[in-house]
């Protein structure tokens, strides 16, 4: 037990008036090992081969009776390589590639025309790669093309978002995006320090970001979020605090503060990073503590894991009211009955399971030219998967699990049914990160930093013979 804390266990509800608990480096270090992020359960690395032409019950059959739908489009192109990147992307300056890729995405969308109920699209997300690699004409062609197949809406009742690289986003494109119904903008900042930017090959001035942030606000984007990364080469506590101070001046509605996982043996781009510039594990922990403290002292609400929001942002309100959900883009306010993912490597889901497209552009294009879909793997959920999926999402989004609901679902007492899981969680109970009563298992205020660790205890696939080393470290 960490002697920095008393043993009082307080149930957690993210809110502005709730102080964010102090953490010690020792506690963070103990839970810093590799762990999935649980944007899905089972995690995508468990998927098995699956084909779009397979007969019988396939998870996409459930698209026929959805009442709300999410759409995701993966745009894999980027103009230059950021050395920290672990995404599925193609570095190119040849715009023609993007144009023909878009033809394929729209063709793939046609495959869903007969398979999905005409349900309102409550969420549209363009991710990448760099979605703003597309020129305004192609952004319009994409959204209008999707609108011919799916029931796209505009307004405050929908969440249409795009991941934007501030280096590749013109203010005219903000007009186009608003006109197409986009109301959320996510800007990849990472760090403002020039030396860090040089070390990761991603040069972007605070002035560029400021102009885009102000431009997006003037045009009525309801929420602007920044992605920041700690643990990058050349970063230290002082430099990161300066970045955070600049971020606080710009006051984005939401902030994701991600940990950089340096895995050069797995991601080729990361071999371009000078390993001598990498901060040590203890420096990374110090950075995480300093940055989080700075954000929360400035009034941001810590939602859990690595997400922060201004107290007046809908995400912070939703967290306080227990309305958060989670999907492949992280926390969301508008969970739909199903998600259709289009493009190379995109993942879809329905209540019955997951399915994923070919990863490489070549295989994706080849599949679309053939059967018109590119599904290569996926997962059909069993009853046990569904229970654990629900339980993990409850923990990660609502910070509690209602034991009586589990008992009603399984006909077995929680402590009997999850004996092994509760044993795995003992250190978290002892460290005051989790608590329980007769009726619930809950995350404490301090435990919000360790949601992945708590969820992992219920992941039945993680506790077989396989190792966890391929997952990114928590810190
Ligand atoms: S970090 Fe983003 S912009 Fe940079 S290479 Fe990766 S996907 Fe492209």
């Amino acid at each position: 037990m960490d002697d920095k804390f008393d043993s009082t266990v307080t149930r957690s509800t993210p809110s502005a008036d709730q102080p964010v608990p102090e953490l010690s480096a020792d506690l963070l270090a103990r839970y810093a090992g590799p762990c999935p992020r649980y944007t899905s359960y089972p995690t995508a690395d468990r998927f098995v081969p699956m084909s779009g032409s397979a007969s019988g019950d396939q998870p996409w059959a459930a698209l026929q009776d959805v009442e709300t739908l999410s759409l995701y489009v993966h745009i894999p192109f980027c103009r230059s390589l950021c050395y920290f990147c672990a995404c599925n992307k193609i570095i190119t300056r040849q715009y023609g590639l993007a144009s023909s890729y878009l033809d394929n995405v729209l063709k793939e969308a046609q495959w869903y025309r007969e398979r999905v109920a005409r349900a309102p699209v409550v969420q549209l997300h363009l991710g990448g790669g760099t979605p703003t690699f597309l020129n305004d004409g192609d952004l319009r062609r994409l959204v209008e093309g999707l609108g011919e197949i799916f029931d796209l809406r505009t307004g405050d009742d929908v969440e249409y978002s795009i991941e934007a690289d501030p280096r590749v986003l013109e203010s005219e494109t903000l007009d186009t995006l608003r006109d197409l119904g986009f109301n959320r903008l996510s800007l990849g900042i990472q760090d403002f320090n020039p030396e860090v930017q040089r070390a990761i090959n991603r040069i972007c001035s605070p002035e560029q970001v400021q102009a885009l942030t102000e431009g997006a606000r003037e045009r009525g984007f309801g929420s602007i979020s920044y992605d920041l990364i700690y643990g990058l080469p050349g970063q230290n506590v002082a430099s990161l605090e300066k970045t955070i101070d600049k971020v606080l001046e710009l006051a984005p509605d939401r902030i994701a503060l991600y940990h950089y996982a340096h895995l050069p043996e797995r991601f080729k781009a990361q071999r371009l990073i000078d390993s001598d510039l990498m901060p040590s594990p203890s420096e990374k922990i110090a950075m995480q503590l300093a940055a989080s403290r700075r954000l929360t002292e400035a009034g941001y609400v810590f939602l859990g894991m690595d997400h922060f929001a201004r107290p007046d942002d809908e995400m912070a309100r939703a967290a306080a009211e227990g309305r958060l959900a989670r999907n492949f883009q992280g926390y969301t306010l508008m969970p739909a009955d199903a998600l259709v993912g289009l493009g190379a490597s995109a993942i879809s889901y329905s209540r019955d399971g997951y399915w994923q497209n070919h990863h490489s552009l070549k295989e994706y294009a080849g599949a679309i030219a053939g059967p018109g879909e590119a599904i290569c793997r996926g997962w059909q959920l069993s009853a046990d998967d569904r229970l654990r999926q629900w339980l993990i999402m409850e923990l990660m989004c609502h910070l509690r699990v209602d034991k009586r609901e589990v008992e009603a679902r399984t006909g077995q007492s929680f402590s009997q049914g999850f004996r092994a899981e509760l044993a795995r969680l003992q250190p978290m109970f002892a460290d005051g990160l989790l608590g329980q009563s007769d009726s619930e298992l809950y995350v404490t205020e301090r435990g919000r930093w360790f949601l992945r660790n708590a969820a992992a205890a219920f992941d039945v696939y993680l506790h077989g013979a396989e190792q966890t080393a391929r997952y990114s470290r928590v810190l």
Side-chain angles (χ1 to χ4, degrees), residues 74-91 127-131 163-168 188 190 200-202 229 269:
H74 188 75
I75 309 292
F77 305 100
C78 302
R79 285 194 200 158
S80 63
L81 178 66
C82 309
Y83 297 162
F84 63 86
C85 184
C87 298
N88 177 26
K89 79 280 176 190
I90 311 279
I91 309 299
T130 309
E163 292 167 17
D165 180 343
R167 301 169 302 168
V168 193
Q190 327 315 352
I200 59 173
N201 195 37
R202 190 182 169 105
I229 303 183

Side-chain angles (χ1 to χ4, degrees), residues 447-465:
R448 275 186 275 150
W449 302 93
F450 306 99
L451 297 179
R452 291 162 75 174
N453 308 75
F458 294 92
D459 183 344
V460 80
Y461 303 103
L462 197 60
H463 297 285

Side-chain angles (χ1 to χ4, degrees), residues 90-285:
I90 311 279
I91 309 299
T92 183
R93 296 263 167 174
Q94 293 176 43
Y95 190 77
L97 278 180
S99 219
S100 50
Y101 177 79
L102 215 52
D103 296 340
N104 284 332
V105 166
L106 291 171
K107 194 169 169 203
E108 185 190 4
Q110 290 288 348
W111 187 79
Y112 285 97
R113 187 190 279 275
E114 304 300 320
R115 291 173 175 82
V116 61
R118 181 101 184 145
V121 174
V122 293
Q123 237 181 6
L124 167 66
H125 185 81
L126 306 191
T130 309
T132 48
F133 185 94
L134 296 180
N135 63 32
D136 289 18
D138 274 339
L139 280 169
R140 195 170 286 284
R141 182 160 76 94
L142 171 63
V143 175
E144 289 177 352
L146 294 175
E148 287 172 17
I149 298 161
F150 302 101
D151 183 8
L152 295 190
R153 309 277 173 106
T154 51
D156 294 339
D157 297 342
V158 297
E159 200 176 70
Y160 287 6
S161 54
I162 181 164
E163 292 167 17
D165 180 343
R167 301 169 302 168
V168 193
L169 177 59
E170 304 296 332
S171 59
E172 298 74 45
T173 302
L174 290 175
D175 291 324
T176 304
L177 291 169
R178 274 304 284 147
D179 191 43
L180 292 171
F182 285 86
N183 50 16
R184 318 232 171 243
L185 185 68
S186 169
L187 293 174
I189 311 295
Q190 327 315 352
D191 192 309
F192 281 134
N193 182 283
E195 278 169 38
V196 176
Q197 291 192 351
R198 265 195 297 281
I200 59 173
N201 195 37
R202 190 182 169 105
I203 311 289
C204 178
S205 72
E207 291 73 28
Q208 269 173 295
V209 175
Q210 179 163 358
L212 286 170
T213 303
E214 289 169 358
R217 284 206 180 107
E218 281 160 17
R219 286 163 177 85
F221 279 83
S223 176
I224 298 165
S225 67
Y226 287 3
D227 286 354
L228 305 175
I229 303 183
Y230 70 93
L232 289 170
Q235 243 177 3
N236 57 46
V237 170
S239 74
L240 184 59
E241 282 182 335
K242 271 195 179 169
T243 289
I244 300 285
D245 288 346
K246 184 67 201 172
V247 165
L248 291 173
E249 270 175 43
L250 303 179
D253 303 281
R254 299 172 193 170
I255 295 171
L257 175 67
Y258 295 117
H259 165 242
Y260 169 58
H262 190 54
L263 301 168
E265 61 293 342
R266 216 174 127 199
F267 301 110
K268 227 170 153 187
Q270 297 182 357
R271 293 176 207 161
L272 296 165
I273 286 179
D274 179 352
S275 54
D276 290 345
L277 293 177
M278 285 305 299
S280 68
S282 62
E283 284 172 317
K284 284 192 195 180
I285 286 172

Side-chain angles (χ1 to χ4, degrees), residues 196-452:
V196 176
Q197 291 192 351
R198 265 195 297 281
I200 59 173
N201 195 37
R202 190 182 169 105
I203 311 289
C204 178
S205 72
E207 291 73 28
Q208 269 173 295
V209 175
Q210 179 163 358
L212 286 170
T213 303
E214 289 169 358
R217 284 206 180 107
E218 281 160 17
R219 286 163 177 85
F221 279 83
S223 176
I224 298 165
S225 67
Y226 287 3
D227 286 354
L228 305 175
I229 303 183
Y230 70 93
L232 289 170
Q235 243 177 3
N236 57 46
V237 170
S239 74
L240 184 59
E241 282 182 335
K242 271 195 179 169
T243 289
I244 300 285
D245 288 346
K246 184 67 201 172
V247 165
L248 291 173
E249 270 175 43
L250 303 179
D253 303 281
R254 299 172 193 170
I255 295 171
L257 175 67
Y258 295 117
H259 165 242
Y260 169 58
H262 190 54
L263 301 168
E265 61 293 342
R266 216 174 127 199
F267 301 110
K268 227 170 153 187
Q270 297 182 357
R271 293 176 207 161
L272 296 165
I273 286 179
D274 179 352
S275 54
D276 290 345
L277 293 177
M278 285 305 299
S280 68
S282 62
E283 284 172 317
K284 284 192 195 180
I285 286 172
M287 280 185 234
Q288 199 249 6
L289 285 172
S292 307
R293 195 174 295 135
R294 208 86 162 184
L295 291 173
T296 51
E297 281 172 3
Y300 278 82
V301 176
F302 177 48
L303 302 176
M305 275 179 70
D306 28 34
H307 286 73
F308 299 80
R310 271 173 33 173
D312 55 349
D313 185 77
E314 183 61 16
M315 191 74 92
R317 286 199 293 271
E321 293 161 13
R323 291 187 284 112
L324 275 192
R326 198 159 165 76
N327 65 14
F328 290 107
Q329 281 75 56
Y331 286 111
T332 176
L333 294 170
M334 298 196 186
D337 293 342
L339 166 80
V340 168
L342 301 168
S345 75
I347 303 179
S348 307
Y349 69 75
S350 71
R351 62 162 190 259
D352 288 345
Y354 302 94
W355 59 104
Q356 182 170 26
N357 284 346
H358 282 290
H359 206 265
S360 87
L361 208 55
K362 197 170 164 203
E363 283 175 299
Y364 173 74
I368 298 299
E373 46 77 23
I375 300 163
C376 65
R377 53 197 215 115
W379 190 269
Q380 190 92 31
L381 292 169
S382 67
D384 184 65
D385 290 335
R386 280 200 183 91
L387 174 67
R388 289 172 189 273
Q389 180 192 57
W390 169 81
L391 200 150
I392 285 172
M393 294 306 152
E394 286 291 297
L395 268 180
M396 299 201 76
C397 298
H398 305 142
L399 310 174
R400 65 184 289 274
V401 174
D402 185 337
K403 291 182 178 177
R404 284 162 305 195
E405 191 165 345
V406 175
E407 287 162 12
R409 282 172 178 234
T410 62
Q412 208 180 7
S413 82
F414 187 83
S415 53
Q416 284 293 321
F418 290 104
R419 192 194 299 264
E421 289 77 358
L422 287 169
R424 279 181 211 122
L425 290 173
Q426 276 316 308
M428 295 192 76
F429 287 119
D431 284 333
L433 307 177
L434 294 176
Q436 60 176 336
S437 65
D438 288 347
S439 61
E440 64 177 6
L441 169 71
Y442 57 85
V443 178
T444 65
E445 289 174 31
R446 201 183 307 155
R448 275 186 275 150
W449 302 93
F450 306 99
L451 297 179
R452 291 162 75 174

